[in-house]
Amino acid sequence: SSLQGTVILEATVDRDGAVQDVRVVSKPTLLDRAAVTAVTQWRYSPLLLNGHPERFILTVVLTFSLDNKR
């Protein structure tokens, strides 16, 4: 059997490039927790505005395709 789906998230990245908050914006699925866990581990280069790091918000689209073949 396989499990497939897409999860759309909104993530807030802090001034150091770490993901602070993640919010699911797509309809709920069984994959939401895995998607949030993955994105919270990501690191980004800080966004610089006039040479100063700033927080930013981005949209992340994760598509899962998991096969459970034994």
Side-chain angles (χ1 to χ4, degrees):
S1 71
S2 66
L3 178 62
Q4 297 180 348
T6 299
V7 181
I8 301 172
L9 307 165
E10 184 179 273
T12 302
V13 180
D14 69 14
R15 289 177 175 91
D16 295 322
V19 175
Q20 263 187 340
D21 299 307
V22 180
R23 183 173 70 91
V24 177
V25 295
S26 55
K27 67 179 183 175
T29 72
L30 295 173
L31 301 167
D32 291 355
R33 182 175 291 182
V36 169
T37 299
V39 171
T40 56
Q41 296 175 31
W42 295 358
R43 294 287 296 200
Y44 290 87
S45 296
L47 174 68
L48 297 178
L49 293 177
N50 296 323
H52 301 286
E54 291 294 333
R55 295 173 65 227
F56 62 97
I57 298 172
L58 59 96
T59 301
V60 178
V61 179
L62 292 178
T63 301
F64 289 86
S65 180
L66 306 171
D67 289 323
N68 186 14
K69 296 179 181 176
R70 294 181 187 198

